[in-house]
Amino acid sequence: MAREGILIVVSGFSGAGKGTIMKELTGRYEQYALSVSATTRTARPGEEEGKDYFFKSQEEFEQMISNGALIEYACYVGNYYGTPRAYVEEMLLQGKDVVLEIEIQGARKIREQFPEAVLLFVTTKDAQVLKERLMKRGTESREVIEQRLLRAVQESEGIEEYDYLVVNDELDACVEQIHSIIEGEHRRIRYNMKLVSKVREELRSFAKGE
Ligand code: 5GP
């Protein structure tokens, strides 16, 4: 019996390792579909169009907003980021668990539209690790790193709006924890009503002596 897809939001401080975790999770298990966002930010070295992001001009992005092509979008440290609607809807229909790696404003909009979405927040075990990772990445200027750390302070105030906290200390353990959370979610009665109805019907038939 085909499973119903679950919409999963993963947020976390810049530098918490969300990208690596998501690539590992989706590489390990076929049930996940990772949504690729649109952004007006310039590509970092090694980032690929259509794989890491759909890189857009400001005009193109605003066109997507007015066409209703995005489920949600937000401004983060001076750039637009948004989730294309078509892919998410199509993958959910196919029964995939769709992962959105987005920041907190987007997470709030998803919760409004999809109250059953599962919201996960990824953190490092302390702030020092986070700062070191951001510096080591070496892809952002000092000014942008400072803005991202400020943004992390704001985001930390919103953690209670999420359902689960995952600590990215050891990559493998972190990926497995996220997978277990999602598998647990699939066991909710509301995702299993087809099976419940089938067993109910069968029991009624037995009880009638059929
Ligand atoms: P980065 O520039 O480091 O790739 O992403 C910056 C922030 O934007 C991260 O917190 C990331 O999760 C978030 N982000 C990426 N794509 C989207 C999106 O489609 N919507 C929203 N709201 N945030 C996004």
Side-chain angles (χ1 to χ4, degrees):
M1 205 173 284
R3 296 210 298 194
E4 226 177 283
I6 292 176
L7 188 56
I8 305 152
V9 169
V10 178
S11 300
F13 307 123
S14 184
K18 288 162 294 176
T20 316
I21 297 167
M22 290 310 105
K23 285 196 180 107
E24 190 61 32
L25 180 75
T26 49
R28 237 179 246 193
Y29 301 103
E30 275 188 5
Q31 74 199 55
Y32 298 104
L34 184 59
S35 159
V36 177
S37 296
T39 185
T40 57
R41 146 161 107 55
T42 46
R44 290 183 189 133
E47 282 186 335
E48 284 177 44
E49 165 71 19
K51 191 161 167 266
D52 298 284
Y53 280 107
F54 296 106
F55 295 98
K56 303 284 176 195
S57 66
Q58 177 107 356
E59 294 70 44
E60 287 169 333
F61 198 99
E62 282 165 1
Q63 193 63 49
M64 290 179 88
I65 299 174
S66 48
N67 290 346
L70 301 172
I71 303 186
E72 62 74 36
Y73 67 93
C75 204
Y76 178 94
V77 188
N79 283 300
Y80 276 132
Y81 293 82
T83 306
R85 180 183 301 282
Y87 179 81
V88 173
E89 290 181 350
E90 174 59 30
M91 289 298 120
L92 284 174
L93 269 179
Q94 287 183 24
K96 294 274 188 188
D97 295 330
V98 181
V99 185
L100 312 182
E101 195 235 292
I102 63 179
E103 51 66 75
I104 190 164
Q105 299 171 63
R108 287 183 181 129
K109 288 184 205 148
I110 293 295
R111 169 125 294 164
E112 277 166 30
Q113 293 175 64
F114 303 86
E116 287 164 8
V118 183
L119 272 56
L120 307 173
F121 198 93
V122 178
T123 182
T124 48
K125 65 177 189 296
D126 58 37
Q128 186 61 31
V129 178
L130 205 66
K131 193 173 167 198
E132 280 163 15
R133 282 201 198 156
L134 268 180
M135 311 273 255
K136 244 201 251 161
R137 188 153 77 182
T139 49
E140 274 91 10
S141 65
R142 193 175 187 86
E143 193 192 347
V144 169
I145 292 175
E146 275 164 18
Q147 285 172 356
R148 283 177 175 248
L149 283 172
L150 266 181
R151 183 62 183 234
V153 176
Q154 290 167 6
E155 294 203 325
S156 72
E157 302 294 331
I159 292 182
E160 286 91 334
E161 296 172 48
Y162 287 77
D163 300 309
Y164 296 96
L165 183 73
V166 182
V167 180
N168 183 16
D169 198 8
E170 207 264 300
L171 177 66
D172 190 54
C174 183
V175 169
E176 289 310 311
Q177 267 176 28
I178 293 178
H179 183 60
S180 308
I181 291 168
I182 302 308
E183 283 303 284
E185 200 63 25
H186 274 290
R187 303 273 44 87
R188 284 190 187 272
I189 297 295
R190 67 167 174 258
Y191 292 120
N192 293 279
M193 283 314 293
K194 277 188 196 146
L195 180 63
V196 171
S197 304
K198 178 176 166 284
V199 173
R200 248 182 215 152
E201 274 309 307
E202 287 168 358
L203 283 171
R204 282 189 192 126
S205 302
F206 287 154
K208 278 192 239 153
E210 285 169 8

